[in-house]
């Protein structure tokens, strides 16, 4: 370590600090991304069920022409019929919605774990969880309150593993991008360190030549600036000027 140049030392310490930061970033991604994705899954569950509320309508009577012309699904209910839009069964982000009555009898829809959720009581606007085959499922119930729909419920179900693919994508992307960013940062740091230390190298060369008496007119030129290195270079140049004048006076004497 002692035999390394200052430029290499600076780059090495910068690289170590950067690797530590990236490692911590990986840990944050692993811990936080799962929470964010699970919250997104629950939000999608609620949104899908809420949207399907408007897909169910009660009709007191219907005629055969309506049945033939419509692509919706009709169910006999009470003294009338339930009309359910044809896109009710669309599984949005693997969220399944089913229509139940108060006794938890399935009237229409899809529920991949219907048998396992039959013991879960209906709770309006509350997310409940259950485990089936080692997998956690979120269950969200919504009571229907429109005219003719009293006593009916929508139950949405989604698996927590629905977010595994998103997590895997985020992790794979971070494994590719972060090391590349680290590499570019290290290379950039090495170049910047070299440029920053160039004036010091010039000072050293100038002092060495002056010390040997080869070139007293040599000056350190690093451009305009007001930072510490520029101030040091100006101080060296003033010193070299005084040395040159002193040497000229000595020669004249």
């Amino acid at each position: 370590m002692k035999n390394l140049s200052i430029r290499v030392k600076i780059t090495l310490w910068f690289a170590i600090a950067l690797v530590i930061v990236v490692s911590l970033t990986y840990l944050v991604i692993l811990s936080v991304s799962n929470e964010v994705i699970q919250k997104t899954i629950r939000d999608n569950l609620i949104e899908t069920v809420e949207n399907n509320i408007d897909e169910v309508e009660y009709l007191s009577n219907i005629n055969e022409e309506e049945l033939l012309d419509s692509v919706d699904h009709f169910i006999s209910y009470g003294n009338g019929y339930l009309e359910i839009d044809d896109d009710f069964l669309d599984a949005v982000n693997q969220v399944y919605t089913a229509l139940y009555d108060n006794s938890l009898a399935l009237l229409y829809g899809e529920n991949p774990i219907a048998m396992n959720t039959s013991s879960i009581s209906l709770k309006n606007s509350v997310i409940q969880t259950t485990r089936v085959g080692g997998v956690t499922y979120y269950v969200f119930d919504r009571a229907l309150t429109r005219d003719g729909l009293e006593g009916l419920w929508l139950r949405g179900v989604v698996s927590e593993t629905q977010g595994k693919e998103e997590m895997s994508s985020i992790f794979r992307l971070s494994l590719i991008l972060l090391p590349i960013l680290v590499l570019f940062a290290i290379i950039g740091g090495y170049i910047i360190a070299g440029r920053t230390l160039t004036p010091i190298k010039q000072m050293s060369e100038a002092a060495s030549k002056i010390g040997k008496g080869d070139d007293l007119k040599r000056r350190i030129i690093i451009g305009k600036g007001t930072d510490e290195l520029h101030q040091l270079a100006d101080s060296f140049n003033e010193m070299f000027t005084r040395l040159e004048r002193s040497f000229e006076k000595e020669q004249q004497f």
Side-chain angles (χ1 to χ4, degrees), residues 12-245:
L12 184 60
W13 282 111
F14 176 73
I16 292 173
L18 204 56
V19 169
I20 293 174
V21 171
V22 169
S23 300
L24 293 176
T25 302
Y26 275 128
L27 293 176
V28 171
I29 289 175
L30 288 176
S31 59
V32 175
S33 62
N34 184 56
E35 292 295 328
V36 173
I37 290 175
Q38 293 305 314
K39 184 181 184 302
T40 302
I41 292 173
R42 294 191 293 268
D43 290 343
N44 285 335
L45 170 63
I46 295 173
E47 182 180 0
T48 302
V49 174
E50 293 289 346
N51 289 338
N52 272 341
I53 290 177
D54 295 330
E55 307 296 334
V56 182
E57 185 178 358
Y58 177 78
L59 302 176
S60 58
N61 57 73
I62 53 175
N63 54 52
E64 292 185 2
E65 291 183 358
E66 290 178 339
L67 289 175
L68 294 175
D69 295 338
S70 177
V71 294
D72 296 339
H73 187 77
F74 293 88
I75 300 175
S76 177
Y77 180 74
N79 297 323
Y81 299 89
L82 297 177
E83 181 182 7
I84 305 174
D85 286 354
D86 61 320
D87 57 354
F88 180 88
L89 291 178
D90 292 345
V92 181
N93 296 321
Q94 299 179 15
V95 176
Y96 298 92
T97 310
L99 180 64
Y100 288 85
D101 61 17
N102 280 326
S103 63
L104 270 176
L106 179 61
L107 302 180
Y108 185 74
E110 293 182 89
N111 184 350
I113 55 170
M115 295 294 295
N116 303 92
T117 58
S118 59
S119 60
I120 300 177
S121 60
L122 295 165
K123 294 183 179 180
N124 191 37
S125 300
V126 176
I127 292 182
Q128 305 180 75
T129 59
T130 184
R131 288 188 67 81
V132 179
V135 178
T136 298
Y137 286 83
Y138 299 113
V139 180
F140 180 73
D141 299 318
R142 190 69 165 81
L144 302 184
T145 57
R146 292 165 62 183
D147 293 341
L149 301 180
E150 296 85 356
L152 294 178
W153 293 75
L154 288 184
R155 167 163 284 184
V157 175
V158 65
S159 168
E160 68 169 358
T161 58
Q162 185 256 333
K164 278 189 174 180
E165 185 175 346
E166 287 82 353
M167 281 191 62
S168 299
S169 299
I170 293 173
F171 189 68
R172 285 196 301 269
L173 186 63
S174 62
L175 281 177
I176 296 172
L177 291 181
L178 289 180
I180 293 176
L181 292 176
V182 169
L183 181 61
F184 275 107
I186 291 174
I187 294 174
Y190 184 78
I191 295 174
I192 293 173
R195 291 181 177 178
T196 304
L197 295 173
T198 296
I200 297 179
K201 184 178 180 181
Q202 291 176 342
M203 293 177 198
S204 177
E205 292 175 352
S208 177
K209 286 185 174 293
I210 291 173
K212 294 176 181 178
D214 293 342
D215 187 8
L216 290 177
K217 295 186 179 296
R218 187 180 180 88
R219 297 293 182 269
I220 300 171
I221 302 174
I222 59 174
K224 296 182 180 180
T226 58
D227 57 23
E228 291 81 356
L229 283 176
H230 284 81
Q231 293 175 8
L232 182 60
D234 292 339
S235 299
F236 267 92
N237 287 333
E238 291 175 2
M239 182 185 69
F240 295 154
T241 300
R242 289 195 297 269
L243 285 174
E244 182 186 4
R245 290 174 181 172

